[in-house]
Amino acid sequence: MSQKALVIPSKQAPFVLTTRPIPKPGQGQILIKVESVTLNPIDQRIQSYGLIVEDYPAVIGYGIAGVVTELGEGVIKFSVGDKVATSGSAGKSDFCGYQQFALGDVRFTAKIPLNLSFDKAATLGVSLETPAIGLFGPYNAKLTSLIEHPGAHKGQTILILGGSASLGQYGKFILLSCPWYSNIITTALPTHEILLRTLGATHVVDHRLPAEEIISMIKSTTANNSIKIVYDTISDAHTQAVGWGVLAEGGHMVVTPKGDAETRTFAWTYGSPHTPPHYEFGEKLWDAVYGWFESGTLVPNKVELLPGGLEGIVAGLERLRDNKVSGVKLAVHPQETA
Ligand SMILES: NC(=O)c1ccc[n+]([C@@H]2O[C@H](COP(=O)([O-])OP(=O)(O)OC[C@H]3O[C@@H](n4cnc5c(N)ncnc54)[C@H](OP(=O)(O)O)[C@@H]3O)[C@@H](O)[C@H]2O)c1
């Protein structure tokens, strides 16, 4: 049986809409009919610059939601017909979402409530995993695990640069799921302020201001040198200048390997559970998802649905490349592909 798929035929080649076989789920895997897949900025960089993925032809697409259609050996956690969200795996085409059927690794798949749309569920994937791993995973910021026990960070202030970015929105949720921070300062366009305050930000600073002005506004809201964690979801020269400008001695910068690291530390995040150091953490994270949705604590990103099924992806990725997406996640429905 074959399906429609948007494929990168060879490194840095343009996307091609073609057909490929529907994969068979193996042990610990399920087959998912992909009802919605979200677009991420990294997708365009994988295609244009040949990053991360080495095996071609390649399918990518890392935020997936759909319906379970087949169970692999030993799978008891899911049933055929379940609504699920899962995490695409870079470099493993069968596990990616720019196609009509994808495999799910049961460790990094969650059932979703019946009343939650596939589009909202598809915003999870890499956008939830990256801040979770960056802030609470087995390395990087090395905060006490969000799932195990709270404790060490009560009353602290954290700065999230790029608060309306998908990572910034889920980053605030991840912090609030363990309510140890008294202040979450974030940078974004003022048009997003109400949403970001709803998500838990205590201060929203306009990211278009000069770096020095942002630094002094942040310092005026905190005791000088009190920010121990900066999470930079954007990591360009401007956000990095702000981040390093407010980070305390002994503090930690997550995402970008730049700047003065003599008295402060930094780490780039590989925001995927599909790598051995993240297996255990990724499984715990995905195990928590259904409960977060049921309790209403996990607020998914807003979604803009693109027309044309898989054919809508190329234009959507160009908008991400040109910074023409603000505060929403782009999604397509692979089953609508002509
Ligand atoms: N390392 C990893 O594993 C990993 C994983 C996922 C993503 N990433 C990277 O992380 C970045 C964010 O990804 P995403 O999915 O969250 O992107 P996104 O949601 O598409 O980002 C768009 C948002 O970025 C904000 N933004 C742009 N420039 C800004 C600035 N100078 N200051 C503050 N906000 C700014 C915009 O905010 P306004 O609307 O407020 O202007 C917009 O809402 C991308 O570069 C992506 O490639 C890395």
Side-chain angles (χ1 to χ4, degrees), residues 15-333:
F15 285 104
V16 173
L17 183 65
T18 182
T19 56
R20 69 189 298 270
I22 295 177
K24 279 298 280 178
Q27 190 161 26
Q29 299 168 1
I30 52 179
L31 182 66
I32 299 167
K33 182 181 181 194
V34 182
E35 298 290 354
S36 181
V37 60
T38 50
L39 282 59
N40 285 289
I42 191 64
D43 304 348
Q44 190 273 328
R45 295 179 201 148
I46 289 171
Q47 184 273 321
S48 295
Y49 305 124
L51 304 181
I52 301 175
V53 174
E54 295 302 333
D55 290 334
Y56 289 88
V59 178
I60 62 175
Y62 305 117
I64 299 167
V67 177
V68 178
T69 58
E70 195 178 336
L71 305 178
E73 196 188 325
V75 174
I76 50 170
K77 203 168 148 189
F78 297 97
S79 306
V80 169
D82 282 346
K83 277 180 84 165
V84 292
T86 194
S87 160
S89 179
K92 291 187 185 168
S93 292
D94 288 345
F95 290 81
C96 289
Y98 287 176
Q99 55 192 340
Q100 293 177 312
F101 290 85
L103 295 180
D105 180 325
V106 293
R107 295 172 299 172
F108 316 129
T109 303
K111 283 184 205 171
I112 57 167
L114 291 176
N115 61 357
L116 185 75
S117 74
F118 289 116
D119 292 331
K120 286 185 184 293
T123 68
L124 296 179
V126 70
S127 301
L128 176 69
E129 292 159 347
T130 305
I133 290 169
L135 290 165
F136 295 98
Y139 58 85
N140 293 348
K142 300 187 179 103
L143 301 187
T144 311
S145 163
L146 82 162
I147 290 147
E148 272 132 16
H149 43 83
H153 313 290
K154 197 168 168 55
Q156 288 193 7
T157 299
I158 189 163
L159 171 63
I160 299 184
L161 293 157
S164 71
S166 192
L167 301 190
Q169 292 190 38
Y170 280 130
K172 280 183 275 297
F173 161 71
I174 287 294
L175 289 167
L176 288 178
S177 69
C178 38
W180 317 327
Y181 285 86
S182 51
N183 284 319
I184 300 177
I185 302 175
T186 197
T187 59
L189 290 180
T191 46
H192 299 307
E193 178 158 356
I194 293 172
L195 168 70
L196 299 184
R197 284 188 180 275
T198 310
L199 294 175
T202 50
H203 303 75
V204 181
V205 181
D206 188 338
H207 71 65
R208 297 166 301 181
L209 295 170
E212 283 311 318
E213 209 171 312
I214 298 177
I215 290 168
S216 86
M217 286 172 80
I218 292 171
K219 285 189 170 173
S220 73
T221 63
T222 61
N224 265 353
N225 296 323
S226 66
I227 296 186
K228 295 274 187 346
I229 301 284
V230 171
Y231 183 33
D232 187 354
T233 74
I234 305 299
S235 306
D236 64 13
H238 184 257
T239 58
Q240 281 286 285
V242 173
W244 289 110
V246 298
L247 187 63
E249 291 295 303
H252 187 89
M253 165 84 69
V254 183
V255 166
T256 303
K258 285 183 186 166
D260 161 22
E262 283 176 16
T263 57
R264 297 168 291 184
T265 58
F266 60 85
W268 181 79
T269 309
Y270 182 55
S272 169
H274 300 271
T275 181
H278 295 163
Y279 284 165
E280 194 185 336
F281 181 82
E283 196 167 356
K284 285 180 181 164
L285 179 71
W286 279 93
D287 273 349
V289 162
Y290 188 84
W292 284 335
F293 273 132
E294 273 227 313
S295 62
T297 52
L298 179 49
V299 180
N301 294 169
K302 287 183 187 161
V303 175
E304 179 187 333
L305 179 64
L306 302 175
L310 294 167
E311 282 188 291
I313 289 172
V314 174
L317 293 181
E318 284 167 4
R319 279 176 56 195
L320 282 173
R321 178 198 62 201
D322 298 340
N323 291 325
K324 290 188 174 145
V325 178
S326 175
V328 293
K329 202 87 196 144
L330 304 180
V332 304
H333 291 174

